[in-house]
Amino acid sequence: MKNKILNSVVFLMILSFVIGCKPKTEEVAIDKEQIKNEIQAMENKMAEMYNNRELIGEEYYAEDATSFSQNKPPLVGKAAIDKSIREDLQSFQKGNQIAFVANEIYPSSDGNQVMEIGSYRVSDSTDTAIYTGNYMAYFEKREGKYVCVRDMAASDRPKIEIPKTDAKKDDKK
């Protein structure tokens, strides 16, 4: 009986010591508004690249990034993404302008990772919206700068319905 009590006391002392000596995690103060401004500046630079129709100094994507778009397989790696952007720039009509807006950001507690929810708008030379859409982008801070590691976008354009042919009607011909 004395042994059980002694073992319980020793156990509680060790447990108290372990809990008391546990290192405290430091809370890192992050400035969410500053992070949002940094992400928005990156979005503005990307829009400027489209609006000027030139892929110069693209620093948005990480080398190991993956980009998901509608109606095509994922683009894996910065080289594949840059190739797709070059193709997009060739078909981006002169006079059209694109703008990206970081609507919401969700940084990690240390600020090294950020999830952005944004929207985009393509307008013609009269500033009339041609189409709009939304996107999500996941950023990591690498070497002191944010880079996009994953993103995906969806257009607000309505789905175009392809008329179905009546197989029985075609067979009678």
Side-chain angles (χ1 to χ4, degrees), residues 55 58 61-65 75-86:
L55 183 65
E58 190 274 293
Y61 289 101
E63 290 297 328
D64 60 341
L75 301 168
V76 179
K78 183 178 170 78
I81 295 168
D82 285 352
K83 180 181 179 213
S84 178
I85 291 172
R86 277 189 200 86

Side-chain angles (χ1 to χ4, degrees), residues 21-53:
C21 292
K22 182 180 174 186
K24 294 182 180 179
T25 56
E26 253 183 65
E27 285 292 317
V28 177
I30 60 166
D31 185 346
K32 193 173 175 180
E33 197 59 37
Q34 173 61 32
I35 294 171
K36 187 174 183 180
N37 290 339
E38 284 183 55
I39 299 296
Q40 184 61 60
M42 292 176 68
E43 298 298 354
N44 292 347
K45 190 171 181 181
M46 181 64 83
E48 182 180 335
M49 185 180 64
Y50 268 89
N51 296 337
N52 292 335
R53 284 139 187 90

Side-chain angles (χ1 to χ4, degrees), residues 13-142:
M13 287 175 59
I14 292 172
L15 184 63
S16 298
F17 181 76
V18 169
I19 291 172
C21 292
K22 182 180 174 186
K24 294 182 180 179
T25 56
E26 253 183 65
E27 285 292 317
V28 177
I30 60 166
D31 185 346
K32 193 173 175 180
E33 197 59 37
Q34 173 61 32
I35 294 171
K36 187 174 183 180
N37 290 339
E38 284 183 55
I39 299 296
Q40 184 61 60
M42 292 176 68
E43 298 298 354
N44 292 347
K45 190 171 181 181
M46 181 64 83
E48 182 180 335
M49 185 180 64
Y50 268 89
N51 296 337
N52 292 335
R53 284 139 187 90
E54 54 188 9
L55 183 65
I56 296 176
E58 190 274 293
E59 299 172 0
Y60 187 88
Y61 289 101
E63 290 297 328
D64 60 341
T66 301
S67 183
F68 300 88
S69 298
Q70 291 184 153
N71 306 316
K72 59 179 153 179
L75 301 168
V76 179
K78 183 178 170 78
I81 295 168
D82 285 352
K83 180 181 179 213
S84 178
I85 291 172
R86 277 189 200 86
E87 292 167 359
D88 289 348
L89 291 175
Q90 290 175 359
S91 63
F92 196 64
Q93 191 172 344
K94 290 195 188 274
N96 288 356
Q97 298 285 303
I98 192 167
F100 300 101
V101 178
N103 296 322
E104 304 171 50
I105 62 155
Y106 299 94
S108 61
S109 60
D110 61 3
N112 288 326
Q113 299 152 347
V114 179
M115 176 58 70
E116 172 198 10
I117 299 174
S119 58
Y120 65 90
R121 178 180 190 261
V122 175
S123 55
D124 64 15
S125 59
T126 65
D127 201 32
T128 302
I130 299 170
Y131 60 91
T132 59
N134 299 287
Y135 63 91
M136 294 178 73
Y138 168 69
F139 295 88
E140 287 182 358
K141 195 169 237 183
R142 297 183 181 173

Side-chain angles (χ1 to χ4, degrees), residues 143-167:
E143 299 176 13
K145 295 185 337 186
Y146 288 110
V147 288
C148 183
V149 178
R150 299 287 183 275
D151 73 351
M152 65 180 0
S155 172
D156 291 341
R157 289 185 193 180
K159 182 179 175 184
I160 298 172
E161 293 294 327
I162 300 171
K164 295 181 181 180
T165 59
D166 187 356

